[in-house]
Amino acid sequence: MKIIGEKINGTRAQVRTAIINRDSNFIRTLAEDQVKAGVDLLDVNAGTTPDREPEDLVWLIKTIQEVVDVPLCIDSTNTIALTEALNHVKQEPMINSISGDPERLENMLPVVAKHNCAVIALALDESGIPKSVEDRMKVLKRVFSATRDAGISDEKVYADPLIMTIGTDTQAGLIALESIKAIKREYPKAHITSGLSNISFGLPGRSLINRTFLTLALEAGLDSAIVDPTNQGLRESLIVTELLLGQDKFCRRYTQAFRSGLVGINK
């Protein structure tokens, strides 16, 4: 499973302050800590106003790449910022994100196709987030039709079924899991990702909810997630779940993690 580190996001107060004040040490530490925890990509979201986002996003990318060399997931719907940012990445990036919104598809797909990179595709359109699995799949059908027409292979698409909080809808977890299964059936070559921690928003004991949901989502077909990689409980659940699902050949990852103390501590 691919882990996309979520912590460099300007919608978070501390990160936003660091971006505005050009606190490079703070950003570098966030990047280094996530890489040490074992991420496959780092999500990079400036989260600032459209007029300053291009400059902020480029600064973030340059600052991060000074200390780590993992691929970046460039998180922006601002095509000017995105286009400028992609001129500065050192490795093939991922773009976060496109959706079923016709305007967003029109603006973003040429950028994705030009760079031939992976892209996250959200199961929403200009009307918002569909409530049912069926309606989310209708949106994704339009998205996959557009990506295929643009020459983007299904293997490059990371479909996001949109995990919502069970704090406001107790069926949200079930809807997300059924959406993951439906995507896996309909688009077997595509990947599936999502912001995992959304499931627990507004509830106490979020870490417990998140790691339990991760286990269920992996079994349903999730093969990537935007998460906090420094959460040891979450990483432990991931390693053990992959072991039990037969995704850990010869149990190597589990045994190595046990020897290093990543799993099994105080058990």
Side-chain angles (χ1 to χ4, degrees), residues 28 42 44 57-74 84-94 115 117:
R28 288 175 187 142
L42 286 175
V44 184
L57 193 54
V58 168
W59 176 80
L60 278 173
I61 289 169
K62 289 182 176 179
T63 301
I64 293 164
Q65 291 182 153
E66 287 174 357
V67 291
V68 299
D69 60 1
V70 299
L72 304 180
C73 179
I74 311 301
E84 181 63 25
L86 289 170
N87 291 328
H88 297 274
V89 294
K90 294 180 179 179
Q91 298 190 54
E92 182 179 307
M94 177 184 285
H115 291 270
C117 59

Side-chain angles (χ1 to χ4, degrees), residues 44 52 253:
V44 184
R52 64 172 294 157
R253 286 196 301 274

